[in-house]
Amino acid sequence: MKKISLLFILSLFSVVAFSQFTLGPKVGYLTQTLSVKQEDIKASLQDKAIFGLFMRIGNSVYVQPEVNYFTSGAVFKRPQQGSVNPIEQEVYLQHVQIPFFIGTKLINTRLFNLRAMMGPTANIVVDKRINTQESGTYINPINEADIKDVYWGLQVGGGMDIASVTLDVHYIVGLTSIIGDVQIEGNPVLFDSKNQGFVVTLGIKLF
C-alpha cells in the first residue's frame, strides 16, 4: 500500500513537472435558484460572493481542481391555507465547494486563450443555521438534521485568459438535494430541493 501511494505521489509530481501548471486565487459572484417539489412552498436564494483557489494542469487539454468558499441563505414560505399551518423559515449555510473541471483550449496563444470546461462539484456544508418564525400558528418543519452535509452538482461553461488574468463563467446544475425528506405536521414530505444558477469568477495566475 505504501509503495502504491508513493508511486501515485511521484506520478502526480511528474505530471505537474512536465505539464503547464498554473495556481492562483479567484473571487466571483454566485446567483442561484432553488427548486422545491412542494408546490405550496416557495423558496428564494440570496446571491452571494464566492472566494477560492484554483489550480490548472495541462495545456491544450487540462484539468482544473478548485477549493472555494461561499455562504447561502434561503427563505422557505407557505401561507396560511384554511386549517393548514403557515411556514416561514430562513436557512443560512456556509459551504466549501470543490469542483473538478476537465477543459480544452479552443484558442491558445501566449497572451490569450479561450476555453471550454465542465466537471462535477462537491459542496460540503460546514455550518448550518435556521431561523424560524415563531409567532401565531407558524410551524418549523426543517431541522438542521434534514440538511445534507454534502450535496453534488455539475458545472458547465467556459472562460478566457488574458495574460495573467483569468475569467470563468459556469452554469450550475444541482444533481442531489440540499434538503432531504422533512416531517410536516407528522407527515413525511419530499422537498427534492436542488440548486441551479450561474457563477462568474475572476482570478489571477500567480505562476
Side-chain angles (χ1 to χ4, degrees), residues 6-19 55 57:
L6 179 61
L7 181 61
F8 174 78
I9 293 171
L10 291 175
S11 300
L12 181 61
F13 275 113
S14 66
V15 170
V16 172
F18 292 100
S19 300
M55 178 172 60
I57 304 170

Side-chain angles (χ1 to χ4, degrees), residues 107-170:
I107 299 174
N108 190 13
T109 67
R110 189 171 66 88
L111 293 178
F112 173 80
N113 66 60
L114 182 67
R115 300 174 281 105
M117 55 202 294
M118 67 179 297
T121 301
N123 297 279
I124 304 169
V125 179
V126 296
D127 188 49
K128 312 171 185 178
R129 188 168 72 240
I130 300 175
N131 297 322
T132 301
Q133 173 65 260
E134 300 288 353
S135 62
T137 57
Y138 282 91
I139 59 174
N140 53 340
I142 304 173
N143 299 299
E144 290 187 7
D146 300 319
I147 301 171
K148 304 290 184 64
D149 293 325
V150 179
Y151 62 95
W152 291 86
L154 177 70
Q155 294 192 46
V156 180
M160 66 174 66
D161 297 345
I162 302 175
S164 61
V165 178
T166 178
L167 172 70
D168 287 345
V169 180
H170 300 140

Side-chain angles (χ1 to χ4, degrees), residues 55-76:
M55 178 172 60
R56 192 180 301 157
I57 304 170
N59 194 0
S60 58
V61 177
Y62 63 91
V63 295
Q64 182 172 310
E66 300 180 4
V67 178
N68 302 315
Y69 170 82
F70 70 98
T71 63
S72 66
V75 179
F76 296 87

